[in-house]
Amino acid sequence: MAYVGLTKPRVIELLLLTTVPVMFFAAGGVPSLRLVAATVVGGALSAGSASVFNCVYDRDIDEQMRRTRRRALPRHIVTPRAALIFGFVLGVLSTVILWAWVNELSAALSVGANAFYVFGYTMLLKRRTTQNIVWGGIAGCFPALIGWTAVTGELAWAPIVLFAVVFFWTPPHTWALALRYRDDYKQVDVPMLPVVRSAHNVAVQIVVYSWVMVATSLVLWPVADTGLIYPIAAAVLGAVFLLQAHQLERRARGTEDLSVIRPMHLFHSSNLYLSLLFVAVAIDPLLR
């Protein structure tokens, strides 16, 4: 179980949630179950590999943060060398599976996402800039592209729009969590935005990104010529998310008290938003 924990299963679940619905959307219905299985297994192993490398590199700060100190490496249950080997094995298996049973483009995109998360976000951006999660979050957008290319073998504007939706969703989602654990990040000198800006400033930026995210989600309707299910779902879900983002901004005015701001409410809601939006992506072609 210690090794499983290194792969961050909850993150894998979220990434697969944006992969499989896009496969349905790309297929215009139900895709090959063999293809879905291969893409899911390959994608899960790739995401797990990236998370393992992240845990190895961040083990020094993970040991000091309340949210992460119970992980296997800070507790010395798994050695860094063993974790590195585990991460490499997962990465190789992922690439082989995607290359052999999906296609070369999906395999290449998966390797690119893995490399960007490890080298771009974990090693370069995370400890150096307040924009770490904005640009580092690009790695988490790749599943939309991988799901599409797994079915079609090529890129198109529709998955790029969904890529952008996840890109603009990531900052509100992550900054809400970082607000809750800002003292942890401050203690280990990681310049997450809530560490170096006031809670209200963070909330304002969350509102801005939320508006752009919702607007981007609606672009899929004309770009992909969807049915009515998707735009209706995107509009309703977007309206609820924007309401919650504005409520967070109002609660953050003139206070740094997290019990008043309640950032985790938006964090959990953001998970639900993305889940239901991509469920709508999968259902839309089935009901056309």
Side-chain angles (χ1 to χ4, degrees), residues 2-15:
Y3 283 94
V4 173
L6 290 174
T7 66
K8 302 181 183 178
R10 290 184 179 179
V11 174
I12 293 175
E13 290 174 9
L14 192 61
L15 294 177

Side-chain angles (χ1 to χ4, degrees), residues 17 20 65 92 117 143 146 155 169 183 190 194 197 205 220 230-231 255 257 266 269-271 276 278 286:
L17 181 66
V20 177
M65 296 175 64
V92 171
Y117 182 73
I146 294 169
L155 288 171
W169 168 87
D183 290 341
V190 173
R197 296 287 188 273
Q205 295 203 42
L220 186 66
Y230 174 79
T255 183
D257 187 344
L266 183 70
S269 295
S270 67
N271 284 327
L276 294 179
F278 274 81
L286 299 176

Side-chain angles (χ1 to χ4, degrees), residues 269-281:
S269 295
S270 67
N271 284 327
L272 185 60
Y273 167 83
L274 196 69
S275 301
L276 294 179
L277 183 72
F278 274 81
V279 167
V281 168

Side-chain angles (χ1 to χ4, degrees), residues 16-267:
L16 293 180
L17 181 66
T18 57
T19 304
V20 177
V22 176
M23 296 183 72
F24 278 73
F25 194 70
V30 180
S32 161
L33 295 182
R34 181 201 65 80
L35 183 62
V36 172
T39 306
V40 165
V41 172
L45 291 175
S46 179
S49 171
S51 292
V52 171
F53 291 136
N54 171 267
C55 286
V56 172
Y57 189 83
D58 279 349
R59 64 188 186 278
D60 58 331
I61 61 176
D62 282 350
E63 194 166 359
Q64 302 176 58
M65 296 175 64
R66 285 178 302 160
R67 187 172 65 89
T68 56
R69 65 176 54 152
R70 299 300 297 171
R71 290 176 178 171
L73 284 165
R75 294 170 62 194
H76 307 288
I77 297 174
V78 177
T79 66
R81 181 175 181 275
L84 276 175
I85 294 172
F86 180 55
F88 276 114
V89 169
L90 292 181
V92 171
L93 285 175
S94 164
T95 305
V96 169
I97 290 171
L98 290 173
W99 190 281
W101 286 290
V102 183
N103 57 54
E104 295 89 344
L105 180 55
S106 296
L109 288 170
S110 179
V111 171
N114 193 322
F116 189 85
Y117 182 73
V118 175
F119 297 107
Y121 171 66
T122 302
M123 299 179 68
L124 180 63
L125 296 170
K126 183 174 180 178
R127 307 193 193 197
R128 290 180 172 85
T129 172
T130 58
Q131 296 299 298
N132 48 18
I133 197 59
V134 175
W135 301 109
I138 288 175
C141 306
F142 272 77
L145 303 182
I146 294 169
W148 183 275
T149 59
V151 173
T152 67
E154 60 185 13
L155 288 171
W157 283 112
I160 291 173
V161 170
L162 292 171
F163 177 104
V165 171
V166 180
F167 176 81
F168 292 117
W169 168 87
T170 301
H173 170 77
T174 309
W175 285 336
L177 180 67
L179 262 174
R180 169 65 178 82
Y181 292 101
R182 63 184 177 185
D183 290 341
D184 273 3
Y185 288 112
K186 183 176 182 179
Q187 179 181 337
V188 295
D189 295 321
V190 173
M192 297 295 284
L193 189 66
V195 173
V196 299
R197 296 287 188 273
S198 69
H200 184 253
N201 182 279
V202 174
V204 168
Q205 295 203 42
I206 285 175
V207 168
V208 171
Y209 272 91
S210 298
W211 272 99
V212 178
M213 174 194 72
V214 173
T216 303
S217 73
L218 292 171
V219 170
L220 186 66
W221 181 18
V223 165
D225 191 25
T226 71
L228 289 177
I229 295 296
Y230 174 79
I232 291 172
V236 172
L237 292 169
V240 173
F241 193 96
L242 288 173
L243 175 63
Q244 294 175 338
H246 279 280
Q247 288 175 338
L248 175 71
E249 184 272 330
R250 284 196 293 273
R251 293 195 300 268
R253 292 177 188 175
T255 183
E256 297 293 324
D257 187 344
L258 294 180
S259 66
V260 173
I261 300 170
R262 304 198 305 278
M264 292 302 288
H265 181 69
L266 183 70
F267 173 78

